[in-house]
Amino acid sequence: MPTSRRLVVLDPPPATPASPRDDDDDHFHDQCGVFGVFGHAEAANMTYLGLHALQHRGQESAGIVTSDGEQVYAHRAMGLVQDAFTQDQLARLPGRIAIGHVRYSTAGGSHIKNAQPIAVDYARGSLAVCHNGNLTNAEELRTELEERGSIFVSDTDTEVFVHLVAVSKEVAVEDRIADALSRVRGAYSLLFLTEGAIVAVRDPMGIRPLCLGAFRGDGDAHVVASEPCAFDLIGAEYVRDVEPGEMVIIDRNGLRSVRPIGRAPQRTCVFEYVYFARPDSKLDGRSVYDVRRALGRALAKEHPVDADVVVPVPDSAVPAAIGYAAESRLPFDMGLIRSGYVGRTFIEPQQSIRHFGVRLKLSAVEPVLRGKRVVIVEDSIVRGTTSRKVVKMVRDAGAREVHMRISSPPTQWPCYYGIDTPTRGELIASSHSVDEIARYVTADSLRYLSRDGMLDAAGGQKSMCHACFSGEYAIPFTPTHKRQLRLMGV
Ligand code: SF4
């Protein structure tokens, strides 16, 4: 291949140290968001905006790879989308095809070498890939590939795909990708980019979301994203979800759907509905907002409480609190306000201020809380540290009683399908009863929604993954994975 046709990497950034985690955000963290455009004159700009809309899925790094039909261009950087790209850098990503990625590290640490999309030159041209999910047999495949001579430059599962495609004996790139997919196990929503195509794939169980859209009035311009909220911002419209096990190829001949990896019983992540996805998104045909409100209604039916006001922990628990208040015929009010500040501070006053981190993000509205029996609705409790601070904040504002209601069951198990979770020992519900957790967070009462209540509200008793609540993992562990779990104390 002529040198001029090889991958162009803009402004290779210097090695960046890992950024510190936010200790006052006691949630599981979504892993990544993917976005792709085919056939649009402003593919890089559209992808930039699409990634903006997916920023809640990952804030550690962002990247865009484009193709002008002959050459592939890449730029990746640490930080939020708005910090990762300048106008000049976007202008230097030409072409009508683009894929992009926002990342919160799961497999692989927080470092520029793990930012995506990964883009490489190999014997048949240039190839880029970005991934939302985790592979359960990545270690085995990596070892096998390294023994065959592959050299890995990142710590991510995603790079395994690149090497598997590169060593495939198939000819057409979609066949090489299908060949690679036949080797992997786990959760993956993937976007591949070649000089002339985008290939979108969702794993056989559809664990992570992926959906298709189109630009109105332009039948040739297609978009693919983790969530359809990314379409609204750019004026594209939602067409449908990519089905579990489906591979969608978009090139100059249009859009084709093939099923090279088969389909297993669907197990979409129920936590996408509970917390991860944006409430204005629709996943597999269900409105996330409607599901969250239904979770709140179910919670009120299962665990009513004599109280004066229902207060959400903003922003994610707002729809569930609205549902709880409506079902229990109690007033809903914003007794906690989230600061408009987005991000973190690395400066703490030298004089210690108690609960400083939480106070940066949340503040109590005293007139709503003083003298009241308050129901605080939250979507989940991971370690319990933030809930404890929230209860204290509400009491300090004058609440007479504080009752916590959680719109999902206790999270007792780690996730291995692309979500950043602590080890089992760090999950408070894995070693403490509900009453013990109530005492720890200092609530007058604490109740969780049941598993059946959650699955009924989400509309998928049989089609949802609920392993972090139940320990019932849909994908069997490999021997290497089991060894890793033992080492992690799981
Ligand atoms: S284990 Fe939990 S967070 Fe992970 S995919 Fe399943 S439901 Fe989602």
Side-chain angles (χ1 to χ4, degrees), residues 258-330:
V258 293
R259 294 186 166 279
I261 46 174
R263 179 175 179 161
Q266 186 160 354
R267 289 287 182 274
T268 300
C269 170
V270 72
F271 229 117
E272 291 281 353
Y273 293 98
V274 170
Y275 170 70
F276 301 137
R278 241 172 62 167
D280 54 334
S281 280
K282 207 161 61 169
L283 304 179
D284 290 323
R286 282 184 286 269
S287 151
V288 172
Y289 186 88
D290 286 351
V291 168
R292 285 192 191 153
R293 223 171 22 181
L295 291 167
R297 280 188 175 276
L299 182 61
K301 278 187 200 148
E302 288 186 9
H303 301 296
V305 59
D306 221 4
D308 301 311
V309 65
V310 178
V311 166
V313 179
D315 296 317
S316 53
V318 169
I322 290 172
Y324 191 99
E327 185 64 35
S328 52
R329 298 180 187 278
L330 289 171

Side-chain angles (χ1 to χ4, degrees), residues 326-349:
E327 185 64 35
S328 52
R329 298 180 187 278
L330 289 171
F332 166 93
D333 216 332
M334 294 300 288
L336 292 165
I337 299 293
R338 182 164 287 272
S339 154
Y341 160 83
V342 180
R344 302 167 195 165
T345 177
F346 302 105
I347 303 163
E348 281 213 32

